[in-house]
């Protein structure tokens, strides 16, 4: 199941969609259905989905990134079955309302930062390439990473790095950031990466010391986990019976959230002991499809970023119209 696909962005940065074929295999079960690609990126998954759809099928692509939307606009010109929405997948309900879609046959979420975002130094996502310390998926919204670090309290910085990066030296890093910004502005990825390397006393083998800090700040700046929680619930609320939610995550914080959300829905409503229930109340409206999937060795060899990918699939069974939020 090697993707092998290289989708070129306008700036020449390529993206290879992870778990491309298997994700679409799980997602598309009706060629005439309506589907949503919540993280359009450079269109790798979207193009394959369109290839599986018939003339009556439709696909909506959603993305925060204006550069991704520029690619989506071109695809919409090429294929009338495709349309796009510029925004977060937390707004999937609004996006569907604008299309007059009450329900959909499938929703795909390919989480995290895309290869073009990581590879372009101007976006400021990577500690491996020097550039402005930005990290915004939508540069038109929210403060940049540099702006936030210039103003945030030391405790808030430490809390973000610990909560979203699980970095045990978060306090040391935050203390040095606050001390350093009194001497000079922290405006580039290289400055932050070098500062974190200086603050971390013990280095992990095969892992840059700034990895967790960059991940944490990026997640916080883009409200990734908050948007994920909202997006998951909005997605299942709009699934048709037999419709599927397919989610690919790339780090443990995302995957734990997705796993818990899907597991709780598949278990059904939690009712107090001793309360009599009908058969309908005992049956969940959702079921898990298979076990968590990971990229195989061939795909990892072709795309090293695939090594941390985990895919989970949830299906609405139609047993009930009641959904529960994630616990």
């Amino acid at each position: 199941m090697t993707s092998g696909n290289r989708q070129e962005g306008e700036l020449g940065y390529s993206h290879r969609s992870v778990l491309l074929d298997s994700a679409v295999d799980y997602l598309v079960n009706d060629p005439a259905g309506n589907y949503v690609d919540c993280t359009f990126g450079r269109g790798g998954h979207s193009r394959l989905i369109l290839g599986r759809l018939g003339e009556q099928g439709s696909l909506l692509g959603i993305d925060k990134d204006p550069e991704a939307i520029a690619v989506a606009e071109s695809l919409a010109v090429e294929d009338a079955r495709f349309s796009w929405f510029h925004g977060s997948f937390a707004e999937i309900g609004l996006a569907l309302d604008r299309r007059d879609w009450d329900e959909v046959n499938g929703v795909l979420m390919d989480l995290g930062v895309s290869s073009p975002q990581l590879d372009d130094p101007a976006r400021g996502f990577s500690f491996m390439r020097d550039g402005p310390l930005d990290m915004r998926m939508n540069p038109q919204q929210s403060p940049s990473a540099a702006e936030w670090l210039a103003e945030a309290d030391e405790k808030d910085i430490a809390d973000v790095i610990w909560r979203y990066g699980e970095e045990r030296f978060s306090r040391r890093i935050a203390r040095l950031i606050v001390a350093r910004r009194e001497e000079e502005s922290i405006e580039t990825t290289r400055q932050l990466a070098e500062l974190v390397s200086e603050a971390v006393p013990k280095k992990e083998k095969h892992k840059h010391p700034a990895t967790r800090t960059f991940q944490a700040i990026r997640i916080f700046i883009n409200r990734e986990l908050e948007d994920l929680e909202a997006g998951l619930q909005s997605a299942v609320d709009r699934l048709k019976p037999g419709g599927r939610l397919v989610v690919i995550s790339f780090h443990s914080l995302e995957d734990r959230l997705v796993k818990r959300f899907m597991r709780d829905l598949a278990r059904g409503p939690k009712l107090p002991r001793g309360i009599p229930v009908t058969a309908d109340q005992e049956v969940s409206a959702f079921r898990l499809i298979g076990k968590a999937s990971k990229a195989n060795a061939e795909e990892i060899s072709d795309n090293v970023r695939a090594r941390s990918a985990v895919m989970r699939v949830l299906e609405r069974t139609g047993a009930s119209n009641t959904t529960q939020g994630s616990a």
Side-chain angles (χ1 to χ4, degrees):
M1 294 185 294
T2 303
S3 73
N5 287 14
R6 298 180 65 88
Q7 305 299 337
E8 298 297 332
E10 290 186 352
L11 296 178
Y13 297 101
S14 63
H15 178 69
R16 280 175 273 182
S17 298
V18 174
L19 293 164
L20 178 66
D21 295 294
S22 54
V24 177
D25 287 343
Y26 277 115
L27 182 74
V28 179
N29 55 18
D30 181 359
N34 294 331
Y35 296 87
V36 185
D37 182 353
C38 282
T39 43
F40 176 79
R42 293 303 183 268
H45 284 113
S46 282
R47 288 182 174 86
L48 187 55
I49 293 169
L50 289 168
R52 304 283 182 88
L53 298 183
E55 292 183 3
Q56 302 303 315
S58 296
L59 174 64
L60 172 66
I62 299 175
D63 210 291
K64 292 180 178 181
D65 192 334
E67 292 181 7
I69 291 301
V71 179
E73 288 176 330
S74 297
L75 182 56
V77 172
E78 299 171 12
D79 195 325
R81 299 171 302 167
F82 177 79
S83 59
W84 54 269
F85 175 84
H86 185 198
S88 167
F89 53 61
E91 303 172 282
I92 186 174
L94 173 61
L96 295 181
D97 288 343
R98 289 186 178 179
R99 292 271 350 238
D100 292 325
W101 289 359
D102 293 327
E103 296 178 309
V104 294
N105 298 78
V107 177
L108 172 67
M109 295 180 177
D110 182 10
L111 305 176
V113 63
S114 69
S115 296
Q117 290 168 332
L118 280 171
D119 293 340
D120 183 0
R123 301 302 299 272
F125 285 100
S126 176
F127 48 79
M128 301 299 291
R129 297 170 175 82
D130 192 27
L133 189 59
D134 193 315
M135 296 196 191
R136 291 173 293 179
M137 292 181 179
N138 183 356
Q140 300 165 1
Q141 295 179 349
S142 78
S144 68
E147 291 168 340
W148 179 70
L149 287 176
E151 301 292 337
D153 293 338
E154 180 180 324
K155 181 180 182 303
D156 290 340
I157 295 172
D159 287 347
V160 164
I161 296 173
W162 168 251
R163 180 181 178 187
Y164 298 122
E166 300 177 310
E167 172 57 74
R168 59 178 174 151
F169 299 112
S170 59
R171 294 182 185 277
R172 294 174 63 106
I173 295 168
R175 192 179 308 123
L176 186 54
I177 287 173
V178 171
R180 186 66 51 82
R181 76 187 185 191
E182 296 298 320
E183 305 169 4
E184 61 178 0
S185 298
I186 304 171
E187 298 179 344
T188 71
T189 54
R190 178 173 294 171
Q191 283 178 291
L192 180 60
E194 291 177 349
L195 183 155
V196 174
S197 295
E198 182 180 339
V200 173
K202 297 181 180 180
K203 308 297 190 289
E204 293 181 62
K205 191 175 182 180
H206 304 309
K207 178 173 282 192
H208 192 287
T211 300
R212 291 192 174 93
T213 296
F214 269 67
Q215 171 187 295
I217 295 173
R218 187 204 84 217
I219 290 173
F220 171 77
I221 289 294
N222 293 288
R223 294 180 50 84
E224 291 180 36
L225 296 187
E226 293 89 345
D227 280 6
L228 177 56
E229 286 189 289
L232 289 171
Q233 187 61 51
S234 296
V236 298
D237 286 345
R238 304 297 281 264
L239 281 180
K240 290 182 177 182
R244 291 178 174 180
L245 170 64
V246 179
V247 184
I248 303 170
S249 54
F250 288 85
H251 60 74
S252 59
L253 293 176
E254 292 173 338
D255 186 53
R256 282 200 297 266
L257 195 160
V258 174
K259 179 181 179 180
R260 184 180 70 241
F261 178 85
M262 290 187 174
R263 179 201 63 200
D264 290 349
L265 282 180
R267 285 178 176 173
K270 296 180 180 179
L271 300 174
R273 291 182 179 179
I275 293 182
V277 296
T278 66
D280 287 345
Q281 289 174 314
E282 293 179 339
V283 178
S284 171
F286 298 91
R287 67 183 182 114
L288 299 174
I289 302 298
K291 297 181 179 180
S293 303
K294 296 186 177 183
N296 60 27
E298 185 180 359
E299 183 169 11
I300 293 172
S301 176
D302 185 53
N303 180 6
V304 68
R305 289 170 183 157
R307 67 183 183 274
S308 58
V310 179
M311 181 174 66
R312 299 182 185 274
V313 184
L314 182 75
E315 180 181 273
R316 178 183 281 277
T317 64
S320 168
N321 291 323
T322 302
T323 63
Q324 302 169 276
S326 58

